[in-house]
């Protein structure tokens, strides 16, 4: 098993309220970018359903230079109707993310930290500051 120390939260950079499947995102990554698989380990749908992406036994392709020791989680959404960054995380996605973090910490250790993609790249993703939104998980 890989040595995991961080969780990286991403958004799909898709318009609020429009759901996309893990298979659609996989197609974007494989056909559109030429990757071997979807870059994320998990995708959280609008209704809070958690879909498996890339196996956690394999490094992701979600945060350049930081994939070896992290698990990538993507929630569907992240932009408004004008395609501007917006925290569109539904209450169901919020609950699912919290549950997934708890589960990952049980598997890999309680000291696993959570971060937004925007902490490691000049991007808005996940369209909010993770440490502010999930302050109680630190």
């Amino acid at each position: 098993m890989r040595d995991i120390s961080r969780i990286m939260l991403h958004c799909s950079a898709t318009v609020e309220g429009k759901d996309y499947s893990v298979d659609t995102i996989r197609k974007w990554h494989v056909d559109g970018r030429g990757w071997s698989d979807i870059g994320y380990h998990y995708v959280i749908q609008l209704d809070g359903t958690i879909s498996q992406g890339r196996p956690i036994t394999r490094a992701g392709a979600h945060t350049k230079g930081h994939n070896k020791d992290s698990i990538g989680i993507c929630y569907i959404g992240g932009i408004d109707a004008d395609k501007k960054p917006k925290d569109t995380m539904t209450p169901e996605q919020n609950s699912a993310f919290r549950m997934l973090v708890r589960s990952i910490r049980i598997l890999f250790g309680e000291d696993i930290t959570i971060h937004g993609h925007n902490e490691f790249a000049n991007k808005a993703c996940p369209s909010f500051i993770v440490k502010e939104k999930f302050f109680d998980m630190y």
Side-chain angles (χ1 to χ4, degrees):
M1 188 67 71
R2 294 186 310 126
D3 185 28
I4 303 298
S5 62
R6 299 180 286 183
I7 295 168
M8 304 290 196
L9 181 60
H10 301 264
C11 67
S12 61
T14 54
V15 176
E16 179 176 18
K18 187 163 167 72
D19 219 350
Y20 292 88
S21 70
V22 70
D23 290 330
T24 297
I25 297 172
R26 180 175 280 115
K27 185 172 174 71
W28 295 343
H29 290 179
V30 173
D31 295 345
R33 296 184 177 174
W35 296 352
S36 64
D37 197 357
I38 186 171
Y40 312 115
H41 296 97
Y42 298 99
V43 175
I44 304 175
Q45 308 302 137
L46 296 178
D47 68 359
T49 299
I50 299 168
S51 299
Q52 177 74 50
R54 185 179 289 226
I56 61 171
T57 55
R58 290 181 47 213
H62 51 83
T63 310
K64 189 173 183 179
H66 301 278
N67 293 311
K68 187 176 180 181
D69 68 342
S70 65
I71 291 177
I73 301 172
C74 175
Y75 80 92
I76 301 298
I79 60 174
D80 65 16
D82 296 322
K83 299 192 176 178
K84 293 192 169 133
K86 178 183 178 187
D87 177 359
T88 65
M89 189 176 261
T90 65
E92 294 84 4
Q93 287 173 313
N94 186 310
S95 294
F97 177 70
R98 290 172 176 278
M99 189 218 38
L100 188 51
V101 169
R102 284 191 297 273
S103 297
I104 291 168
R105 285 178 170 165
I106 288 169
L107 287 173
F108 293 99
E110 291 296 320
D111 57 342
I112 293 209
T113 57
I114 58 174
H115 304 272
H117 188 192
N118 52 12
E119 293 177 52
F120 300 94
N122 188 22
K123 299 178 180 270
C125 175
S127 298
F128 57 84
I129 305 300
V130 169
K131 287 182 182 180
E132 291 175 7
K133 184 175 181 103
F134 295 107
F135 66 90
D136 58 321
M137 298 184 79
Y138 284 85

